[in-house]
Amino acid sequence: MIELYDNLILHPKFLDDAQLFLTLNKEIEWEQKYIKRYGGTIPIPRLTSWYGEKAYTYSGIENKVKPFTSTIDNIRKEIENYYEIKLNSCLANLYLTGKDSVDWHSDDEKELGSNPVIASISFGETRIFSIRDIENEELKYEIPLDNGDLVIMMENFQSKYQHAILKDKKITKPRINLTFRHIV
């Protein structure tokens, strides 16, 4: 376990199991969601699926609840037990290639409470997890996340930083990312 800075923990190879990508990809009910932007509705550049106990809306995208798959629930429990945190929901993201992305944002929806803890684990292709300071956007960090790597954004991280998975034309293989959180 390595604490990088200011409420961000990187745990390399937390679950280093090459089969988890294949299992998750089969179990997860992937959906193409749409967002209102630029005067119209466009597809978000990745596939997603929402699991857990409560519904969740972000960026105007409504996510209806599906019960945890056994694999997602087992991963959730391992993270909870190791880090002694409470997680009751999961946004699954499938980035098919480097054309898929998530733009700069903070997870600061009111359903997450005032100081959310978010655990994000990646499977498949390595992607760069980009971080920038909210007050000084020139202050940026890039962390390559490999298969099985876990990042935990602890309390106060969302109020100080934004994060993103930016487009990368060199990436040709898929990545699954599970972002666990606690919906209040």
Side-chain angles (χ1 to χ4, degrees), residues 54-81:
K54 297 181 179 183
Y56 180 56
T57 300
Y58 65 92
S59 299
I61 300 169
E62 293 183 35
N63 292 281
K64 294 182 178 144
V65 157
K66 292 187 267 307
F68 285 121
T69 69
S70 60
T71 305
I72 291 174
D73 199 36
N74 288 337
I75 293 168
R76 178 184 66 85
K77 288 174 183 173
E78 285 202 45
I79 296 169
E80 281 186 329
N81 291 336

PDB file of all heavy atoms in Angstrom, residues 54-81:
ATOM      1  N   LYS A  54     -29.088   1.457  -3.631  1.00  0.00           N
ATOM      2  CA  LYS A  54     -29.887   2.655  -3.898  1.00  0.00           C
ATOM      3  C   LYS A  54     -29.617   3.184  -5.302  1.00  0.00           C
ATOM      4  O   LYS A  54     -28.531   3.011  -5.841  1.00  0.00           O
ATOM      5  CB  LYS A  54     -29.552   3.750  -2.882  1.00  0.00           C
ATOM      6  CG  LYS A  54     -29.874   3.381  -1.451  1.00  0.00           C
ATOM      7  CD  LYS A  54     -29.542   4.514  -0.512  1.00  0.00           C
ATOM      8  CE  LYS A  54     -29.883   4.137   0.930  1.00  0.00           C
ATOM      9  NZ  LYS A  54     -29.646   5.250   1.843  1.00  0.00           N
ATOM     10  N   ALA A  55     -30.611   3.868  -5.860  1.00  0.00           N
ATOM     11  CA  ALA A  55     -30.456   4.516  -7.161  1.00  0.00           C
ATOM     12  C   ALA A  55     -29.484   5.684  -7.028  1.00  0.00           C
ATOM     13  O   ALA A  55     -29.228   6.179  -5.930  1.00  0.00           O
ATOM     14  CB  ALA A  55     -31.803   4.997  -7.679  1.00  0.00           C
ATOM     15  N   TYR A  56     -28.950   6.140  -8.169  1.00  0.00           N
ATOM     16  CA  TYR A  56     -27.934   7.188  -8.165  1.00  0.00           C
ATOM     17  C   TYR A  56     -28.036   7.982  -9.452  1.00  0.00           C
ATOM     18  O   TYR A  56     -28.191   7.411 -10.531  1.00  0.00           O
ATOM     19  CB  TYR A  56     -26.562   6.535  -8.028  1.00  0.00           C
ATOM     20  CG  TYR A  56     -25.381   7.463  -8.001  1.00  0.00           C
ATOM     21  CD1 TYR A  56     -25.286   8.487  -7.082  1.00  0.00           C
ATOM     22  CD2 TYR A  56     -24.323   7.270  -8.878  1.00  0.00           C
ATOM     23  CE1 TYR A  56     -24.167   9.301  -7.028  1.00  0.00           C
ATOM     24  CE2 TYR A  56     -23.198   8.081  -8.834  1.00  0.00           C
ATOM     25  CZ  TYR A  56     -23.127   9.096  -7.907  1.00  0.00           C
ATOM     26  OH  TYR A  56     -22.019   9.900  -7.861  1.00  0.00           O
ATOM     27  N   THR A  57     -27.955   9.303  -9.340  1.00  0.00           N
ATOM     28  CA  THR A  57     -27.981  10.167 -10.511  1.00  0.00           C
ATOM     29  C   THR A  57     -26.741  11.051 -10.497  1.00  0.00           C
ATOM     30  O   THR A  57     -26.402  11.637  -9.467  1.00  0.00           O
ATOM     31  CB  THR A  57     -29.246  11.058 -10.507  1.00  0.00           C
ATOM     32  OG1 THR A  57     -30.398  10.212 -10.517  1.00  0.00           O
ATOM     33  CG2 THR A  57     -29.283  11.970 -11.720  1.00  0.00           C
ATOM     34  N   TYR A  58     -26.045  11.093 -11.623  1.00  0.00           N
ATOM     35  CA  TYR A  58     -24.917  12.010 -11.779  1.00  0.00           C
ATOM     36  C   TYR A  58     -24.979  12.583 -13.189  1.00  0.00           C
ATOM     37  O   TYR A  58     -25.380  11.909 -14.132  1.00  0.00           O
ATOM     38  CB  TYR A  58     -23.567  11.316 -11.525  1.00  0.00           C
ATOM     39  CG  TYR A  58     -23.233  10.232 -12.521  1.00  0.00           C
ATOM     40  CD1 TYR A  58     -22.497  10.522 -13.667  1.00  0.00           C
ATOM     41  CD2 TYR A  58     -23.664   8.925 -12.339  1.00  0.00           C
ATOM     42  CE1 TYR A  58     -22.196   9.531 -14.587  1.00  0.00           C
ATOM     43  CE2 TYR A  58     -23.380   7.939 -13.248  1.00  0.00           C
ATOM     44  CZ  TYR A  58     -22.635   8.247 -14.379  1.00  0.00           C
ATOM     45  OH  TYR A  58     -22.351   7.264 -15.297  1.00  0.00           O
ATOM     46  N   SER A  59     -24.636  13.849 -13.326  1.00  0.00           N
ATOM     47  CA  SER A  59     -24.641  14.541 -14.627  1.00  0.00           C
ATOM     48  C   SER A  59     -25.960  14.359 -15.373  1.00  0.00           C
ATOM     49  O   SER A  59     -25.979  14.259 -16.593  1.00  0.00           O
ATOM     50  CB  SER A  59     -23.476  14.058 -15.493  1.00  0.00           C
ATOM     51  OG  SER A  59     -22.246  14.324 -14.878  1.00  0.00           O
ATOM     52  N   GLY A  60     -27.056  14.270 -14.632  1.00  0.00           N
ATOM     53  CA  GLY A  60     -28.360  14.098 -15.245  1.00  0.00           C
ATOM     54  C   GLY A  60     -28.642  12.680 -15.716  1.00  0.00           C
ATOM     55  O   GLY A  60     -29.681  12.403 -16.302  1.00  0.00           O
ATOM     56  N   ILE A  61     -27.729  11.750 -15.451  1.00  0.00           N
ATOM     57  CA  ILE A  61     -27.889  10.350 -15.857  1.00  0.00           C
ATOM     58  C   ILE A  61     -28.479   9.574 -14.687  1.00  0.00           C
ATOM     59  O   ILE A  61     -27.860   9.494 -13.617  1.00  0.00           O
ATOM     60  CB  ILE A  61     -26.547   9.730 -16.279  1.00  0.00           C
ATOM     61  CG1 ILE A  61     -25.957  10.500 -17.466  1.00  0.00           C
ATOM     62  CG2 ILE A  61     -26.710   8.251 -16.604  1.00  0.00           C
ATOM     63  CD1 ILE A  61     -24.524  10.122 -17.782  1.00  0.00           C
ATOM     64  N   GLU A  62     -29.680   9.015 -14.892  1.00  0.00           N
ATOM     65  CA  GLU A  62     -30.316   8.227 -13.843  1.00  0.00           C
ATOM     66  C   GLU A  62     -29.857   6.779 -13.944  1.00  0.00           C
ATOM     67  O   GLU A  62     -29.822   6.198 -15.023  1.00  0.00           O
ATOM     68  CB  GLU A  62     -31.831   8.304 -13.985  1.00  0.00           C
ATOM     69  CG  GLU A  62     -32.373   9.687 -13.703  1.00  0.00           C
ATOM     70  CD  GLU A  62     -33.891   9.732 -13.776  1.00  0.00           C
ATOM     71  OE1 GLU A  62     -34.548   8.746 -13.396  1.00  0.00           O
ATOM     72  OE2 GLU A  62     -34.390  10.772 -14.228  1.00  0.00           O
ATOM     73  N   ASN A  63     -29.500   6.221 -12.820  1.00  0.00           N
ATOM     74  CA  ASN A  63     -29.046   4.833 -12.745  1.00  0.00           C
ATOM     75  C   ASN A  63     -29.982   4.053 -11.849  1.00  0.00           C
ATOM     76  O   ASN A  63     -30.037   4.296 -10.644  1.00  0.00           O
ATOM     77  CB  ASN A  63     -27.616   4.778 -12.193  1.00  0.00           C
ATOM     78  CG  ASN A  63     -26.624   5.357 -13.155  1.00  0.00           C
ATOM     79  OD1 ASN A  63     -26.235   4.709 -14.102  1.00  0.00           O
ATOM     80  ND2 ASN A  63     -26.215   6.595 -12.918  1.00  0.00           N
ATOM     81  N   LYS A  64     -30.707   3.124 -12.447  1.00  0.00           N
ATOM     82  CA  LYS A  64     -31.588   2.263 -11.668  1.00  0.00           C
ATOM     83  C   LYS A  64     -30.748   1.160 -11.028  1.00  0.00           C
ATOM     84  O   LYS A  64     -29.768   0.696 -11.589  1.00  0.00           O
ATOM     85  CB  LYS A  64     -32.668   1.680 -12.566  1.00  0.00           C
ATOM     86  CG  LYS A  64     -33.597   2.758 -13.092  1.00  0.00           C
ATOM     87  CD  LYS A  64     -34.702   2.196 -13.932  1.00  0.00           C
ATOM     88  CE  LYS A  64     -35.597   3.348 -14.354  1.00  0.00           C
ATOM     89  NZ  LYS A  64     -36.123   3.204 -15.672  1.00  0.00           N
ATOM     90  N   VAL A  65     -31.193   0.751  -9.863  1.00  0.00           N
ATOM     91  CA  VAL A  65     -30.456  -0.230  -9.080  1.00  0.00           C
ATOM     92  C   VAL A  65     -30.605  -1.642  -9.639  1.00  0.00           C
ATOM     93  O   VAL A  65     -31.694  -2.066  -9.988  1.00  0.00           O
ATOM     94  CB  VAL A  65     -30.951  -0.178  -7.618  1.00  0.00           C
ATOM     95  CG1 VAL A  65     -30.681  -1.452  -6.875  1.00  0.00           C
ATOM     96  CG2 VAL A  65     -30.308   0.953  -6.893  1.00  0.00           C
ATOM     97  N   LYS A  66     -29.468  -2.325  -9.684  1.00  0.00           N
ATOM     98  CA  LYS A  66     -29.435  -3.762  -9.937  1.00  0.00           C
ATOM     99  C   LYS A  66     -28.735  -4.386  -8.730  1.00  0.00           C
ATOM    100  O   LYS A  66     -27.827  -3.779  -8.165  1.00  0.00           O
ATOM    101  CB  LYS A  66     -28.649  -4.071 -11.216  1.00  0.00           C
ATOM    102  CG  LYS A  66     -29.315  -3.604 -12.488  1.00  0.00           C
ATOM    103  CD  LYS A  66     -28.573  -4.101 -13.708  1.00  0.00           C
ATOM    104  CE  LYS A  66     -27.555  -3.199 -14.282  1.00  0.00           C
ATOM    105  NZ  LYS A  66     -27.844  -1.864 -14.637  1.00  0.00           N
ATOM    106  N   PRO A  67     -29.141  -5.584  -8.316  1.00  0.00           N
ATOM    107  CA  PRO A  67     -28.442  -6.214  -7.186  1.00  0.00           C
ATOM    108  C   PRO A  67     -27.011  -6.579  -7.586  1.00  0.00           C
ATOM    109  O   PRO A  67     -26.738  -6.891  -8.741  1.00  0.00           O
ATOM    110  CB  PRO A  67     -29.272  -7.468  -6.898  1.00  0.00           C
ATOM    111  CG  PRO A  67     -30.086  -7.702  -8.122  1.00  0.00           C
ATOM    112  CD  PRO A  67     -30.241  -6.395  -8.828  1.00  0.00           C
ATOM    113  N   PHE A  68     -26.103  -6.502  -6.610  1.00  0.00           N
ATOM    114  CA  PHE A  68     -24.709  -6.869  -6.861  1.00  0.00           C
ATOM    115  C   PHE A  68     -24.625  -8.256  -7.495  1.00  0.00           C
ATOM    116  O   PHE A  68     -25.327  -9.182  -7.077  1.00  0.00           O
ATOM    117  CB  PHE A  68     -23.921  -6.931  -5.552  1.00  0.00           C
ATOM    118  CG  PHE A  68     -23.568  -5.596  -4.969  1.00  0.00           C
ATOM    119  CD1 PHE A  68     -23.997  -5.260  -3.693  1.00  0.00           C
ATOM    120  CD2 PHE A  68     -22.786  -4.691  -5.657  1.00  0.00           C
ATOM    121  CE1 PHE A  68     -23.654  -4.048  -3.126  1.00  0.00           C
ATOM    122  CE2 PHE A  68     -22.443  -3.469  -5.100  1.00  0.00           C
ATOM    123  CZ  PHE A  68     -22.881  -3.151  -3.838  1.00  0.00           C
ATOM    124  N   THR A  69     -23.737  -8.411  -8.474  1.00  0.00           N
ATOM    125  CA  THR A  69     -23.395  -9.758  -8.919  1.00  0.00           C
ATOM    126  C   THR A  69     -22.534 -10.365  -7.807  1.00  0.00           C
ATOM    127  O   THR A  69     -21.986  -9.639  -6.969  1.00  0.00           O
ATOM    128  CB  THR A  69     -22.596  -9.736 -10.240  1.00  0.00           C
ATOM    129  OG1 THR A  69     -21.296  -9.187  -9.988  1.00  0.00           O
ATOM    130  CG2 THR A  69     -23.315  -8.954 -11.329  1.00  0.00           C
ATOM    131  N   SER A  70     -22.397 -11.673  -7.810  1.00  0.00           N
ATOM    132  CA  SER A  70     -21.589 -12.294  -6.749  1.00  0.00           C
ATOM    133  C   SER A  70     -20.133 -11.830  -6.834  1.00  0.00           C
ATOM    134  O   SER A  70     -19.488 -11.608  -5.804  1.00  0.00           O
ATOM    135  CB  SER A  70     -21.679 -13.818  -6.829  1.00  0.00           C
ATOM    136  OG  SER A  70     -21.203 -14.284  -8.069  1.00  0.00           O
ATOM    137  N   THR A  71     -19.615 -11.641  -8.036  1.00  0.00           N
ATOM    138  CA  THR A  71     -18.223 -11.215  -8.199  1.00  0.00           C
ATOM    139  C   THR A  71     -18.026  -9.789  -7.685  1.00  0.00           C
ATOM    140  O   THR A  71     -17.088  -9.513  -6.937  1.00  0.00           O
ATOM    141  CB  THR A  71     -17.793 -11.316  -9.672  1.00  0.00           C
ATOM    142  OG1 THR A  71     -18.033 -12.636 -10.140  1.00  0.00           O
ATOM    143  CG2 THR A  71     -16.317 -10.985  -9.837  1.00  0.00           C
ATOM    144  N   ILE A  72     -18.920  -8.869  -8.077  1.00  0.00           N
ATOM    145  CA  ILE A  72     -18.815  -7.489  -7.610  1.00  0.00           C
ATOM    146  C   ILE A  72     -18.953  -7.434  -6.090  1.00  0.00           C
ATOM    147  O   ILE A  72     -18.210  -6.725  -5.410  1.00  0.00           O
ATOM    148  CB  ILE A  72     -19.856  -6.579  -8.302  1.00  0.00           C
ATOM    149  CG1 ILE A  72     -19.512  -6.418  -9.785  1.00  0.00           C
ATOM    150  CG2 ILE A  72     -19.923  -5.211  -7.622  1.00  0.00           C
ATOM    151  CD1 ILE A  72     -20.562  -5.665 -10.592  1.00  0.00           C
ATOM    152  N   ASP A  73     -19.880  -8.206  -5.538  1.00  0.00           N
ATOM    153  CA  ASP A  73     -20.076  -8.210  -4.093  1.00  0.00           C
ATOM    154  C   ASP A  73     -18.843  -8.744  -3.363  1.00  0.00           C
ATOM    155  O   ASP A  73     -18.447  -8.201  -2.324  1.00  0.00           O
ATOM    156  CB  ASP A  73     -21.312  -9.020  -3.727  1.00  0.00           C
ATOM    157  CG  ASP A  73     -21.828  -8.690  -2.339  1.00  0.00           C
ATOM    158  OD1 ASP A  73     -21.754  -7.508  -1.934  1.00  0.00           O
ATOM    159  OD2 ASP A  73     -22.309  -9.612  -1.652  1.00  0.00           O
ATOM    160  N   ASN A  74     -18.210  -9.774  -3.896  1.00  0.00           N
ATOM    161  CA  ASN A  74     -16.998 -10.315  -3.269  1.00  0.00           C
ATOM    162  C   ASN A  74     -15.861  -9.297  -3.296  1.00  0.00           C
ATOM    163  O   ASN A  74     -15.128  -9.147  -2.310  1.00  0.00           O
ATOM    164  CB  ASN A  74     -16.566 -11.614  -3.948  1.00  0.00           C
ATOM    165  CG  ASN A  74     -17.491 -12.768  -3.628  1.00  0.00           C
ATOM    166  OD1 ASN A  74     -18.188 -12.760  -2.608  1.00  0.00           O
ATOM    167  ND2 ASN A  74     -17.520 -13.755  -4.495  1.00  0.00           N
ATOM    168  N   ILE A  75     -15.707  -8.578  -4.411  1.00  0.00           N
ATOM    169  CA  ILE A  75     -14.676  -7.544  -4.507  1.00  0.00           C
ATOM    170  C   ILE A  75     -14.968  -6.436  -3.492  1.00  0.00           C
ATOM    171  O   ILE A  75     -14.081  -5.969  -2.783  1.00  0.00           O
ATOM    172  CB  ILE A  75     -14.592  -6.986  -5.941  1.00  0.00           C
ATOM    173  CG1 ILE A  75     -14.087  -8.079  -6.898  1.00  0.00           C
ATOM    174  CG2 ILE A  75     -13.703  -5.740  -6.001  1.00  0.00           C
ATOM    175  CD1 ILE A  75     -14.231  -7.740  -8.378  1.00  0.00           C
ATOM    176  N   ARG A  76     -16.230  -6.014  -3.430  1.00  0.00           N
ATOM    177  CA  ARG A  76     -16.644  -4.975  -2.474  1.00  0.00           C
ATOM    178  C   ARG A  76     -16.284  -5.381  -1.049  1.00  0.00           C
ATOM    179  O   ARG A  76     -15.705  -4.597  -0.282  1.00  0.00           O
ATOM    180  CB  ARG A  76     -18.150  -4.733  -2.582  1.00  0.00           C
ATOM    181  CG  ARG A  76     -18.684  -3.700  -1.594  1.00  0.00           C
ATOM    182  CD  ARG A  76     -20.196  -3.585  -1.680  1.00  0.00           C
ATOM    183  NE  ARG A  76     -20.885  -4.789  -1.260  1.00  0.00           N
ATOM    184  CZ  ARG A  76     -21.198  -5.079   0.009  1.00  0.00           C
ATOM    185  NH1 ARG A  76     -20.907  -4.244   0.977  1.00  0.00           N
ATOM    186  NH2 ARG A  76     -21.819  -6.203   0.303  1.00  0.00           N
ATOM    187  N   LYS A  77     -16.616  -6.603  -0.674  1.00  0.00           N
ATOM    188  CA  LYS A  77     -16.342  -7.081   0.693  1.00  0.00           C
ATOM    189  C   LYS A  77     -14.844  -7.127   0.994  1.00  0.00           C
ATOM    190  O   LYS A  77     -14.432  -6.806   2.112  1.00  0.00           O
ATOM    191  CB  LYS A  77     -16.976  -8.457   0.904  1.00  0.00           C
ATOM    192  CG  LYS A  77     -18.489  -8.395   1.003  1.00  0.00           C
ATOM    193  CD  LYS A  77     -19.095  -9.780   1.068  1.00  0.00           C
ATOM    194  CE  LYS A  77     -20.610  -9.725   1.099  1.00  0.00           C
ATOM    195  NZ  LYS A  77     -21.220 -11.065   1.004  1.00  0.00           N
ATOM    196  N   GLU A  78     -14.041  -7.521   0.011  1.00  0.00           N
ATOM    197  CA  GLU A  78     -12.586  -7.555   0.232  1.00  0.00           C
ATOM    198  C   GLU A  78     -12.048  -6.156   0.508  1.00  0.00           C
ATOM    199  O   GLU A  78     -11.216  -5.965   1.395  1.00  0.00           O
ATOM    200  CB  GLU A  78     -11.872  -8.178  -0.968  1.00  0.00           C
ATOM    201  CG  GLU A  78     -12.038  -9.679  -1.018  1.00  0.00           C
ATOM    202  CD  GLU A  78     -10.949 -10.349  -1.828  1.00  0.00           C
ATOM    203  OE1 GLU A  78      -9.768  -9.997  -1.654  1.00  0.00           O
ATOM    204  OE2 GLU A  78     -11.301 -11.235  -2.626  1.00  0.00           O
ATOM    205  N   ILE A  79     -12.513  -5.165  -0.269  1.00  0.00           N
ATOM    206  CA  ILE A  79     -12.073  -3.781  -0.054  1.00  0.00           C
ATOM    207  C   ILE A  79     -12.552  -3.273   1.299  1.00  0.00           C
ATOM    208  O   ILE A  79     -11.781  -2.685   2.063  1.00  0.00           O
ATOM    209  CB  ILE A  79     -12.569  -2.868  -1.198  1.00  0.00           C
ATOM    210  CG1 ILE A  79     -11.935  -3.286  -2.530  1.00  0.00           C
ATOM    211  CG2 ILE A  79     -12.268  -1.400  -0.880  1.00  0.00           C
ATOM    212  CD1 ILE A  79     -12.563  -2.630  -3.749  1.00  0.00           C
ATOM    213  N   GLU A  80     -13.829  -3.518   1.607  1.00  0.00           N
ATOM    214  CA  GLU A  80     -14.382  -3.075   2.901  1.00  0.00           C
ATOM    215  C   GLU A  80     -13.600  -3.657   4.070  1.00  0.00           C
ATOM    216  O   GLU A  80     -13.256  -2.942   5.019  1.00  0.00           O
ATOM    217  CB  GLU A  80     -15.846  -3.514   3.028  1.00  0.00           C
ATOM    218  CG  GLU A  80     -16.830  -2.667   2.301  1.00  0.00           C
ATOM    219  CD  GLU A  80     -18.265  -3.083   2.596  1.00  0.00           C
ATOM    220  OE1 GLU A  80     -18.534  -4.281   2.855  1.00  0.00           O
ATOM    221  OE2 GLU A  80     -19.127  -2.198   2.562  1.00  0.00           O
ATOM    222  N   ASN A  81     -13.333  -4.951   4.023  1.00  0.00           N
ATOM    223  CA  ASN A  81     -12.652  -5.620   5.130  1.00  0.00           C
ATOM    224  C   ASN A  81     -11.210  -5.149   5.282  1.00  0.00           C
ATOM    225  O   ASN A  81     -10.738  -4.927   6.391  1.00  0.00           O
ATOM    226  CB  ASN A  81     -12.703  -7.136   4.958  1.00  0.00           C
ATOM    227  CG  ASN A  81     -14.104  -7.677   5.129  1.00  0.00           C
ATOM    228  OD1 ASN A  81     -14.947  -7.074   5.782  1.00  0.00           O
ATOM    229  ND2 ASN A  81     -14.375  -8.815   4.508  1.00  0.00           N
TER     230      ASN A  81
END
